[in-house]
Amino acid sequence: MNRALLVAVAAAAMAVGAGTVANAATADQGRAASMTGVRVGPASSLVTAENERGDVTGAYDGWNRAFVWHKGVFTDLGLLSGTSSAYSTAINDSGDVVGYGLSSTVYVYEGFEWHDGKLTALPSLGGSSYPAAIDDKGEIAGTAADGNGGSHAVIWQNGKLTVLPGLGGTDDGVGRMNQAGQIIGYSGGDAVLWTDGKPTDLGVGYAEALNNRGQVILEYTDGSGVVDYFLYDHGRKTALPAGDVASALNDEGQIIGSYTPAGASTQHGFVWRDGKQTDLGAGVSPAAINDRGQILVDTDDNGVYGAEILGHGHSITLTTPDGPSATAGLLTQNGFVAGTDEATAGAMEWDVR
């Protein structure tokens, strides 16, 4: 998709819920720009999480080692005693990192927290542990196996593990957590939202995303294999248009994703809010949206891949020291973006504030 068209659709997209994002409008409306990012990892590395102050965590060395990049300094997190690998999954705004490593002797993954330069093992239930999220209070949410074939949604806080109540059975797990301490995951085949440790059954399906207001994107597959998406908002479910594939939402309730319009041969990106959907054009794959209304998209222009930020009538092409070929998947509220230099498969970060 060419840059001129991206500029046009950026302005249209911002009209969806424009009243909530007007304060982020810029003086360069209608201008297309480019920004070269900085390398935050070596070749063949990836970013797994990013915080609001621009710290990045990720994996390298065959994804067997975890790292943190903070103010230009690359730090290997090390390994837990008795493990042969480390893979990070989340970072909070204090720079605390969580993840897991593979035991050197048995096929068990051990959860860890990296805090103030020290790697510490998290308590387990006798099997593998997979921390998925950490909030700014230091509460960690994840999934823990009990060693008997069962899995449980759990939280770790101050060195203590607590099992979250499920809907019955021993097939529970965690996907994401917001800054209010709410957690989404699954129990059996149902999607679940935990609030203050109490589960709400969201029905058969999968909880795709969660914002800080407790709104959830739900994915349901019916008996014939048709997939539909809904916005769950404090007990109310609103269906997105048939054929939409939703991927993320912000705290304003704007949802992004992809769909194929009638008669089209390629997928288009979209942004949706309050029943109104704006097309972002063909070859655009939205990856993230923040509360400022900036939308991170990956693009495909006749086989040439790239990444762009759309916002308030202008676009920013994300480039690397090797050229324009980049992909990106993370966007913070402040405007930090993380992704990959396609030429080296190395981790990158851009500051589009």
Side-chain angles (χ1 to χ4, degrees):
M1 185 177 189
N2 65 53
R3 188 182 298 177
L5 185 53
L6 278 173
V7 171
V9 297
M14 292 309 102
V16 180
T20 64
V21 295
N23 61 339
T26 63
D28 58 352
Q29 288 189 355
R31 179 179 63 85
S34 65
M35 175 178 292
T36 301
V38 297
R39 301 188 192 279
V40 297
S44 300
S45 61
L46 63 92
V47 175
T48 55
E50 185 178 33
N51 68 16
E52 292 297 337
R53 67 184 190 185
D55 299 336
V56 167
T57 187
Y60 75 111
D61 190 19
W63 301 2
N64 289 313
R65 302 293 296 233
F67 71 87
V68 165
W69 184 89
H70 171 65
K71 293 184 177 180
V73 178
F74 179 94
T75 302
D76 186 298
L77 300 189
L79 299 175
L80 288 175
S81 177
T83 65
S84 59
S85 68
Y87 186 88
S88 61
T89 56
I91 184 170
N92 67 11
D93 287 348
S94 297
D96 301 322
V97 178
V98 295
Y100 52 84
L102 179 64
S103 170
S104 303
T105 57
V106 294
Y107 196 77
V108 172
Y109 287 93
E110 300 183 26
F112 65 73
E113 179 181 12
W114 187 81
H115 174 74
D116 287 341
K118 182 179 180 181
L119 200 66
T120 303
L122 295 172
S124 75
L125 295 175
S128 293
S129 297
Y130 305 95
I134 179 169
D135 65 18
D136 291 340
K137 296 178 292 186
E139 184 176 76
I140 302 165
T143 305
D146 60 20
N148 296 313
S151 65
H152 305 269
V154 301
I155 57 173
W156 291 271
Q157 191 167 31
N158 300 322
K160 179 183 178 181
L161 182 153
T162 301
V163 176
L164 295 171
L167 304 177
T170 57
D171 183 22
D172 300 348
V174 162
R176 301 173 187 268
M177 177 170 60
N178 65 18
Q179 290 300 329
Q182 293 177 296
I183 298 166
I184 55 171
Y186 60 89
S187 182
D190 285 14
V192 176
L193 171 67
W194 283 274
T195 303
D196 296 327
K198 298 178 180 179
T200 298
D201 188 349
L202 303 183
V204 176
Y206 177 74
E208 176 76 28
L210 169 71
N211 67 14
N212 288 317
R213 294 170 54 191
Q215 295 174 312
V216 182
I217 296 177
L218 297 174
E219 174 190 317
Y220 295 143
T221 303
D222 68 18
S224 62
V226 175
V227 180
D228 292 309
Y229 287 81
F230 296 79
L231 175 65
Y232 172 87
D233 188 358
H234 299 85
R236 179 184 177 186
K237 294 178 183 177
T238 303
L240 272 67
D244 280 5
V245 178
S247 57
L249 79 165
N250 64 12
D251 289 348
E252 304 297 334
Q254 291 174 293
I255 295 175
I256 56 169
S258 301
Y259 77 116
T260 303
S265 59
T266 60
Q267 285 193 331
H268 290 220
F270 73 81
V271 57
W272 178 98
R273 182 182 178 183
D274 294 335
K276 181 179 179 181
Q277 183 159 302
T278 300
D279 190 294
L280 297 179
V284 175
S285 299
I289 182 170
N290 62 19
D291 294 346
R292 299 162 62 188
Q294 293 175 311
I295 303 172
L296 170 63
V297 300
D298 291 312
T299 63
D300 179 359
D301 188 2
N302 296 317
V304 178
Y305 299 101
E308 306 263 354
I309 291 290
L310 310 182
H312 306 281
H314 71 284
S315 70
I316 302 173
T317 299
L318 305 180
T319 64
T320 77
D322 298 302
S325 185
T327 56
L330 298 174
L331 170 65
T332 72
Q333 302 292 5
N334 285 341
F336 289 107
V337 180
T340 303
D341 177 349
E342 290 294 294
T344 64
M348 296 286 302
E349 184 177 56
W350 296 264
D351 182 354
V352 298
R353 292 176 296 173

